[in-house]
Amino acid sequence: RTRPSTVGGGGDADGGDGTSYIALMDTLRQYPNSTEFVYLSRLDKDSTDYNPYALEMVPFSAVDPNDFYTMSVHGITHFVDGSNADFTTLDQWEREFQLFNAMRVLNVFKQFRAWKGFSVWRGTVRSTKIRRAQSVLQKNLFQLNPVFQKSIQEVRRLCFDLSYLRLSSLKTGELITLDTFMEAQRDVKQEIMEKLSTFGTTTIATVDEACSSALDLLEQRLNDFYGKSSADAGDGGGGGGGSAFASTGESAQYAYTVAAARRSEQRKLLCFVKMTDYMICDTLHEVLIESVSDILHATAQVSEAEFETPPPPYRKKAKRRADARSSLARMSTAAPRPSGGGGAAGKKAAADAKLAAEEALKAAAAAHKVEEDALNVWVPKVRVLPQFEVELVLQNDELAFVPSAETFQAEIERAISGFIETLSTVDRLPDNEQLMSKVRDSSADADAGSSLADLIDDDSHQDLVHAVRSSLSFAFASAWEYKEHFRQFRNMVYKNVDHNILQSGADYKSGAFSLEDFRRDIVNFTNQRDSIGGFYTNSDVGIVRINSVDLQKTLLPSPIAKLEEVSKMLPDLAASMYQGFISRVHDCTAKLAAKLNSAEDFVSQMSFAEELRLNLLAEQETAAVEIQNLYELIGNFKFPVSEMDAAAFQTLNVDFNMLKTVLEEVEAARDENITKFTAELEAGVAAVSKKASDLRAAAGNDMILDEHADQAEVIAYMADLGDKVAAEQQEAKRIAKFQKIFKMQESEFADLAEVVGDVDLKRSLWEGAKEWDGYVEGWAGSLFDKINVAEMEEKVQRFSKITFKLERGLARNKVVPAFKDKVDDYKNLLPVIQALLNKAMKPRHWDKVSELIGATIDRDDNFTLQKILDMRAPDYSEEIAGVSTEATQESALEELLGKVTTKWGDVEFQCMSYKESKEKFILGGIEDVTMALEDSMVTMTTILSSRFVSGIRTEVEKVEKSLNIFSETLDEWLNVQKNWMYLESIFSSDDIKRQLPTEAKQFSAVDKQFCDIMRKTRENSNALKAGTTPGYLVQFQKANETLDRIQKNLEDYLETKRMAFPRFYFL
């Protein structure tokens, strides 16, 4: 029996996945004695997805009697063909169900069906393709065709032979120059082009022969199949009037077939030609690649990472452990000294010691050489053979390669780029018209195909070319960097250019150069010569060999020439210094040995002897040592010296010792000579005292202090007297000098000193009076405006001091007071002149001065100081000073007033657009304007409060009035702007205009007036000009009155509205 609730209408409860009956098993196990069962049917969703455990519960009516299942509490029974039954318990079924589903998840079972189908399909397709390919190859493979086999093998042989050709003459390790490379490359190119020409001709002939044989064989087959007139049939029966086909009319029947067979054969031959051409192109490509690879192998013998920069191109020096002298000295010191009785043995021991020292020296030198050789050994980890040679030369004062690295690299790259051009000279098969006419149908278009350059110039070739370019760039860059080692030699030479040997000699004479400087220069030039002559002329830097022979030839003459200049200059310098030295020595000796005839001669001799002892002798001794050192330096470097100069140098010490001897003799005779010349000096003192008495009497002449004496006569008299006094002064100084030298008590000559003071005062009196009169005359006649007050004041002060000294130093007389009065007159006149020359004096002030002195002052070109004196202006000095002070103060006030007016020239109103309107404007920030106004008003108050304002009161009051008007106008202006801005938004409403037509009309008039003023102000924004424009103040005052009335009427109108509408109280 079945339960309808279980069957559920004949379908799975969970959507038909074939597993819902498994859940029913648990229900059945709860009723072990139940006899109920259900029918199950296979759920075959997909024929490719086999699942015997996918079952669904169905009603009896849906059961397939040939294949169905029943499930009860005992198990599941499978009925096949209605009779065969297979029973399985529930537990066993459930276990198998789980195992089956677990296996299905494994990929080997999950994908087996798809894999099996794909595997079978793939095997079938592969075998089919292989059979098809075998058939095509057997039919179309040229190598298997006897007609083409021989031709292909011949072309292969030719290509094989050609593949050994190389387009470059460059061989790894073969050193070449650029010219050699270019010449060899031209020869190789010519040779290869000849071989390529032969190769092309041979291949064309071989392929042409094969094609002709194939076509003949085709014609033979066509004749055998269609008869002898197949050719005519193929041509449409145009040429065989006597053939069997022509006679019977059958030729037209086979014409298309024959033509098709020929076209097919031509296509096959065309493929054969293309295949052969590709074989040739591949061979040419191989030749190209191998040729460039050979160049790359030669240029990139080592990678950039493994490259080792060679050591500098000169021999490194090892430190010497001991020199020959120290070795010989040690060996000699260690040798036994001969005793008194063993002379022969001692000599033998000394000889043995010397021999041992020499042997030790040789051994040390040999060890030093071995050490230095080891220091200069360089073995790179990877050996690089030099490939290219360049010359290092000096061009335009700089080191350069010849040829340049760029030229060398460009030529190699040009040679590589010419490889394709060379290979392109091969006669290609598709370019041969005779051959292509056989393999190409006449009706077909000629296909030029790709050029040979396009076929062989691929990425691999470009990569090789790029690698060659990189290796060359690195190689020449390394060489270029290595050449900097030679720059030190170039710098040596160019430093020598600026080194002037003759100038060094001149500097040595002046003390700016020393012997050590000469020694350093000589050693420097010697080291330069050895360094330049010793650097390696061939330096291998990677694949580049730097040949520096020409550079060495260019640089080496410089230090050699400098050494020659020094070798010539130093002996000449030494000879010149010797001649100067020996001349001075002889002169000094002659002066000391001269005969003494007077005290002057003795003093002169003693002064010279003292100077010689204190300074000159030491200087001469220093000069002698310097000359000896100079000759020693010349000898050290073995510079040639003439025999005459060498002989003269030998007398240096003899002559110098003679000078010292004479000096000692003079110093020894000093006391004797002092005694001899003391009496002469005492007589001289007495003579000077007598002369002083005579001069005192002459200075007391009454004419000198007589006010009526002739000035010129007195000045001449005093000048002569002054000369006599000066002569006696010189004599007194000479005697005092000699007394000091003789260490005697020095005479004071008091009488002479009094005479000198008296004569100087009287002389300055008359000469000063004359000089002052000259100044006065010049000042009186000069233009008043051109007077130099500072110079006049300086002269007045100087002469005031002179008169003061005269009053104190001379006896009472009438000449000095008269001179003093003249000076005092101008001393009192100076304040008047300074006051009148005040730059602040203006015509009104000169008018006041004219009123004071009672005379008209005409300041024309003839207005001189004398006219001022004639007008007795000095009598009014205090009044004139007052006028000058007034002018100064008025000038200061005018300057303040000018600052006020100038300031307002830069003060402007800031006009702003009102509510972004382009026609209505208002004043912006006026802080700067108000600040300027306040400052100006303060300044004007200061000016007006001054007691000196009377002279400029008119101008001051005018400016003050403008500022007051501006202040009032600005206040009214700002008040109008404030009220206008308040009312403008109100009266812009049409409703208000209708309610208050009179006020609207009044506001419109004010609005027009205000906008017009603001527009003019915007065009001319200067604040003071705008604020003092005539009429603005009155207009603004009237506008304010009108706006006040409008506001009052508007307030009354709003009050009436508030009474009717209380919400208006918020307005």
Side-chain angles (χ1 to χ4, degrees):
R1 292 181 302 170
T2 62
R3 296 177 61 187
S5 60
T6 305
V7 174
D12 259 344
D14 61 349
D17 62 350
T19 61
S20 61
Y21 70 94
I22 300 298
L24 184 58
M25 289 181 182
D26 295 333
T27 304
L28 291 176
R29 288 190 183 98
Q30 295 177 7
Y31 306 96
N33 298 323
S34 174
T35 60
E36 294 182 353
F37 66 91
V38 295
Y39 290 102
L40 302 175
S41 177
R42 290 278 302 273
L43 185 60
D44 295 325
K45 294 183 178 181
D46 188 355
S47 60
T48 62
D49 186 13
Y50 175 75
N51 188 355
Y53 297 96
L55 306 177
E56 64 177 345
M57 292 179 291
V58 296
F60 177 74
S61 60
V63 170
D64 183 5
N66 295 322
D67 188 6
F68 69 94
Y69 297 80
T70 62
M71 184 177 65
S72 66
V73 70
H74 300 290
I76 296 176
T77 305
H78 183 199
F79 295 93
V80 180
D81 296 334
S83 59
N84 296 327
D86 183 14
F87 175 78
T88 306
T89 63
L90 292 180
D91 293 338
Q92 181 65 22
W93 183 275
E94 189 173 10
R95 180 175 180 275
E96 292 178 358
F97 171 79
Q98 292 175 354
L99 292 174
F100 179 78
N101 285 330
M103 291 174 61
R104 289 186 66 192
V105 177
L106 300 175
N107 285 334
V108 67
F109 297 104
K110 183 179 181 180
Q111 299 179 3
F112 174 77
R113 187 179 297 274
W115 171 82
K116 181 65 176 178
F118 174 74
S119 178
V120 173
W121 172 82
R122 185 177 61 179
T124 303
V125 171
R126 180 181 294 175
S127 61
T128 303
K129 287 184 176 180
I130 289 175
R131 288 195 300 271
R132 188 181 302 165
Q134 288 176 349
S135 177
V136 172
L137 287 175
Q138 289 176 357
K139 181 179 179 182
N140 298 319
L141 191 61
F142 296 116
Q143 186 65 28
L144 301 178
N145 192 323
V147 177
F148 302 110
Q149 188 177 51
K150 182 179 179 182
S151 176
I152 291 175
Q153 291 177 352
E154 180 62 19
V155 172
R156 291 275 298 185
R157 184 188 65 78
L158 293 173
C159 290
F160 181 78
D161 295 339
L162 184 65
S163 64
Y164 285 99
L165 287 179
R166 293 295 178 264
L167 301 171
S168 172
S169 62
L170 190 64
K171 294 180 177 58
T172 303
E174 182 180 348
L175 185 65
I176 58 172
T177 62
L178 181 59
D179 294 337
T180 305
F181 172 76
M182 294 173 63
E183 183 179 358
Q185 195 61 34
R186 285 193 294 269
D187 297 340
V188 169
K189 182 177 180 180
Q190 183 64 31
E191 179 183 355
I192 289 178
M193 289 179 66
E194 293 175 359
K195 292 183 178 180
L196 290 177
S197 176
T198 304
F199 172 79
T201 303
T202 305
T203 53
I204 290 174
T206 302
V207 174
D208 183 81
E209 182 181 358
C211 292
S212 298
S213 301
L215 290 175
D216 292 342
L217 187 59
L218 174 64
E219 292 298 328
Q220 183 178 356
R221 289 200 305 271
L222 291 176
N223 288 336
D224 292 343
F225 187 77
Y226 295 108
K228 294 183 179 180
S229 298
S230 61
D232 295 334
D235 294 335
S243 67
F245 287 129
S247 62
T248 59
E250 294 178 353
S251 60
Q253 180 179 357
Y254 302 107
Y256 178 78
T257 303
V258 172
R262 287 175 176 166
R263 285 196 298 271
S264 177
E265 186 67 18
Q266 285 176 332
R267 284 195 295 270
K268 181 177 180 180
L269 293 176
L270 183 60
C271 291
F272 170 69
V273 172
K274 288 183 177 180
M275 181 206 70
T276 309
D277 184 64
Y278 289 152
M279 187 189 308
I280 296 171
C281 290
D282 184 68
T283 302
L284 296 176
H285 177 264
E286 180 183 359
V287 172
L288 176 65
I289 295 298
E290 292 299 325
S291 299
V292 180
S293 297
D294 288 347
I295 295 178
L296 178 61
H297 183 266
T299 57
Q301 301 178 31
V302 65
S303 65
E304 295 184 14
E306 296 175 339
F307 176 76
E308 299 175 83
T309 303
Y314 45 81
R315 187 174 177 84
K316 298 178 182 178
K317 301 296 183 182
K319 294 183 179 179
R320 293 185 177 273
R321 298 179 180 178
D323 56 16
R325 292 183 179 179
S326 58
S327 298
L328 184 59
R330 286 196 299 270
M331 297 298 293
S332 300
T333 304
R337 296 185 176 276
S339 60
K347 291 180 180 180
K348 183 177 184 304
D352 293 342
K354 184 177 180 181
L355 182 61
E358 292 176 355
E359 292 296 331
L361 180 61
K362 292 180 181 179
H368 178 267
K369 185 176 184 304
V370 171
E371 182 181 356
E372 194 170 278
D373 291 341
L375 185 64
N376 287 275
V377 172
W378 180 70
V379 180
K381 296 179 181 178
V382 180
R383 185 185 179 191
V384 180
L385 300 176
Q387 201 71 48
F388 305 116
E389 184 179 31
V390 294
E391 293 184 4
L392 183 61
V393 298
L394 206 61
Q395 287 184 348
N396 300 326
D397 300 340
E398 284 296 333
L399 296 174
F401 285 154
V402 176
S404 65
E406 293 79 8
T407 303
F408 217 129
Q409 188 171 349
E411 289 297 334
I412 295 175
E413 292 179 4
R414 186 180 296 110
I416 294 175
S417 62
F419 290 171
I420 296 178
E421 179 184 354
T422 301
L423 294 175
S424 298
T425 59
V426 174
D427 294 332
R428 292 185 61 192
L429 299 178
D431 296 336
N432 189 276
E433 290 297 330
Q434 179 181 353
L435 174 61
M436 296 308 292
S437 64
K438 297 179 182 180
V439 302
R440 188 166 52 216
D441 187 7
S442 60
S443 62
D445 295 333
D447 182 13
S450 300
S451 65
L452 181 60
D454 295 336
L455 291 174
I456 63 178
D457 187 12
D458 59 354
D459 292 341
S460 61
H461 170 250
Q462 291 299 328
D463 292 342
L464 288 173
V465 172
H466 178 71
V468 171
R469 185 180 297 114
S470 299
S471 63
L472 288 173
S473 299
F474 176 76
F476 283 104
S478 301
W480 184 258
E481 182 179 355
Y482 184 83
K483 79 164 178 37
E484 292 301 315
H485 288 300
F486 294 91
R487 185 169 296 279
Q488 57 179 317
F489 307 116
R490 175 258 184 201
N491 294 339
M492 292 177 185
V493 172
Y494 280 92
K495 285 182 180 179
N496 292 346
V497 172
D498 300 330
H499 198 299
N500 191 329
I501 301 298
L502 296 179
Q503 184 62 41
S504 298
D507 292 342
Y508 176 76
K509 290 181 179 180
S510 64
F513 211 74
S514 65
L515 284 180
E516 286 303 316
D517 293 332
F518 275 127
R519 186 183 304 275
R520 186 190 63 248
D521 287 347
I522 296 170
V523 172
N524 184 32
F525 294 144
T526 304
N527 291 338
Q528 288 182 10
R529 180 193 62 191
D530 297 341
S531 298
I532 296 175
F535 69 68
Y536 306 146
T537 54
N538 287 322
S539 303
D540 294 338
V541 185
I543 63 172
V544 179
R545 170 168 290 180
I546 301 176
N547 186 337
S548 53
V549 174
D550 288 343
L551 178 66
Q552 189 179 67
K553 292 180 180 178
T554 303
L555 300 179
L556 191 56
S558 175
I560 294 176
K562 291 298 179 182
L563 285 174
E564 290 179 355
E565 289 184 39
V566 174
S567 67
K568 293 179 180 179
M569 186 274 295
L570 282 182
D572 294 342
L573 177 63
S576 173
M577 291 179 63
Y578 171 78
Q579 290 298 329
F581 169 79
I582 207 65
S583 297
R584 291 191 297 272
V585 168
H586 291 167
D587 291 343
C588 291
T589 304
K591 286 182 179 180
L592 292 176
K595 184 178 180 181
L596 301 179
N597 297 319
S598 64
E600 285 81 358
D601 294 342
F602 173 64
V603 171
S604 175
Q605 184 190 67
M606 293 307 299
S607 298
F608 180 72
E610 185 175 0
E611 182 181 3
L612 188 63
R613 177 63 70 182
L614 293 177
N615 299 315
L616 295 180
L617 190 63
E619 293 177 1
Q620 292 297 96
E621 192 162 358
T622 302
V625 173
E626 190 72 14
I627 293 171
Q628 290 174 347
N629 292 336
L630 184 57
Y631 271 104
E632 182 181 358
L633 177 66
I634 293 171
N636 290 340
F637 291 99
K638 297 181 174 57
F639 291 155
V641 180
S642 66
E643 295 181 358
M644 183 180 296
D645 292 340
F649 172 68
Q650 299 302 322
T651 65
L652 183 144
N653 291 328
V654 175
D655 293 341
F656 190 59
N657 291 331
M658 177 62 71
L659 173 63
K660 293 179 181 179
T661 302
V662 174
L663 177 60
E664 292 174 356
E665 292 175 354
V666 168
E667 290 175 343
R670 180 177 182 275
D671 294 339
E672 180 182 351
N673 290 325
I674 288 176
T675 304
K676 176 181 178 182
F677 293 107
T678 297
E680 182 179 342
L681 292 179
E682 292 176 351
V685 170
V688 169
S689 298
K690 183 177 183 306
K691 286 284 186 181
S693 300
D694 296 341
L695 291 174
R696 180 184 293 109
N701 192 334
D702 295 337
M703 176 186 66
I704 297 174
L705 295 178
D706 185 4
E707 71 273 19
H708 301 295
D710 183 65
Q711 187 182 58
E713 182 182 355
V714 175
I715 290 175
Y717 180 79
M718 293 306 299
D720 179 65
L721 189 59
D723 292 341
K724 293 178 180 178
V725 170
E728 293 306 314
Q729 278 184 302
Q730 289 297 114
E731 178 65 14
K733 289 179 181 179
R734 185 183 72 83
I735 293 173
K737 177 182 176 183
F738 291 164
Q739 288 176 340
K740 182 178 181 180
I741 293 174
F742 293 168
K743 296 181 180 181
M744 298 172 57
Q745 182 178 0
E746 295 183 24
S747 302
E748 295 181 356
F749 300 104
D751 295 342
L752 181 62
E754 292 179 2
V755 172
V756 170
D758 187 45
V759 170
D760 287 343
L761 284 174
K762 292 177 179 179
R763 187 174 182 179
S764 63
L765 170 63
W766 289 97
E767 290 180 353
K770 180 181 180 181
E771 185 180 0
W772 176 257
D773 291 342
Y775 287 141
V776 169
E777 183 179 356
W779 289 333
S782 62
L783 293 177
F784 185 74
D785 292 337
K786 302 296 184 181
I787 293 176
N788 189 338
V789 179
E791 181 182 355
M792 179 183 288
E793 185 177 6
E794 184 271 329
K795 287 181 170 56
V796 169
Q797 293 294 334
R798 181 165 66 87
F799 279 95
S800 295
K801 292 178 180 179
I802 292 175
T803 57
F804 179 74
K805 290 181 180 180
L806 292 174
E807 282 182 329
R808 294 184 62 183
L810 294 178
R812 295 177 60 84
N813 60 84
K814 296 181 179 180
V815 179
V816 173
F819 181 30
K820 184 176 182 300
D821 291 342
K822 293 179 181 180
V823 175
D824 290 343
D825 289 342
Y826 266 84
K827 189 174 183 180
N828 298 328
L829 181 63
L830 267 177
V832 177
I833 297 174
Q834 291 173 340
L836 293 177
L837 288 178
N838 186 358
K839 296 184 182 299
M841 292 282 288
K842 293 185 178 179
R844 63 175 179 269
H845 303 114
W846 283 101
D847 293 341
K848 288 184 179 181
V849 173
S850 297
E851 292 177 2
L852 288 173
I853 63 178
T856 302
I857 298 177
D858 188 7
R859 298 177 63 204
D860 55 10
D861 293 340
N862 295 322
F863 183 61
T864 62
L865 178 62
Q866 186 61 45
K867 289 186 178 182
I868 294 293
L869 297 175
D870 294 342
M871 296 177 184
R872 303 184 64 81
D875 297 341
Y876 306 92
S877 60
E878 294 183 1
E879 291 82 355
I880 292 174
V883 174
S884 178
T885 302
E886 180 181 345
T888 302
Q889 295 299 324
E890 287 180 3
S891 177
L893 295 178
E894 287 177 343
E895 185 177 354
L896 289 176
L897 186 64
K899 290 181 179 180
V900 172
T901 55
T902 302
K903 178 190 294 185
W904 283 100
D906 298 330
V907 179
E908 296 183 349
F909 280 132
Q910 296 182 6
C911 296
M912 303 168 53
S913 297
Y914 178 67
K915 292 183 179 180
E916 300 182 356
S917 173
K918 295 183 179 180
E919 297 180 356
K920 294 183 178 182
F921 305 94
I922 60 173
L923 294 179
I926 60 169
E927 290 80 5
D928 295 340
V929 178
T930 55
M931 186 179 295
L933 180 61
E934 292 174 358
D935 294 343
S936 299
M937 296 302 292
V938 171
T939 303
M940 296 305 299
T941 301
T942 302
I943 295 174
L944 288 170
S945 63
S946 175
R947 64 187 181 89
F948 299 101
V949 74
S950 58
I952 58 171
R953 184 175 294 278
T954 303
E955 292 83 354
V956 174
E957 290 177 347
K958 181 179 179 181
V959 175
E960 184 189 25
K961 182 179 180 182
S962 297
L963 293 176
N964 290 331
I965 293 174
F966 176 76
S967 178
E968 294 179 11
T969 303
L970 182 61
D971 293 339
E972 296 291 340
W973 196 333
L974 294 176
N975 195 23
V976 169
Q977 178 172 293
K978 181 183 70 174
N979 294 332
W980 175 83
M981 292 173 63
Y982 170 71
L983 295 174
E984 194 273 339
S985 60
I986 296 176
F987 282 96
S988 61
S989 172
D990 295 336
D991 182 60
I992 295 296
K993 290 180 180 179
R994 287 193 300 269
Q995 297 295 330
L996 300 171
T998 303
E999 288 75 5
K1001 185 176 181 181
Q1002 292 175 351
F1003 179 78
S1004 177
V1006 173
D1007 176 74
K1008 180 179 179 182
Q1009 185 183 62
F1010 179 74
C1011 291
D1012 183 60
I1013 290 175
M1014 289 305 305
R1015 186 166 50 254
K1016 292 179 180 179
T1017 303
R1018 183 172 178 271
E1019 294 173 355
N1020 186 7
S1021 59
N1022 184 270
L1024 187 62
K1025 289 183 180 179
T1028 56
T1029 302
Y1032 275 14
L1033 177 59
V1034 176
Q1035 292 179 23
F1036 284 131
Q1037 290 173 344
K1038 292 182 178 179
N1040 276 322
E1041 294 175 359
T1042 302
L1043 293 176
D1044 289 342
R1045 288 196 302 271
I1046 292 172
Q1047 281 187 327
K1048 183 177 181 303
N1049 294 337
L1050 178 62
E1051 185 65 26
D1052 294 341
Y1053 169 75
L1054 291 176
E1055 187 64 28
T1056 59
K1057 292 297 182 180
R1058 292 189 188 105
M1059 297 296 293
F1061 304 98
R1063 66 178 179 272
F1064 276 22
Y1065 279 99
F1066 296 101
L1067 294 178

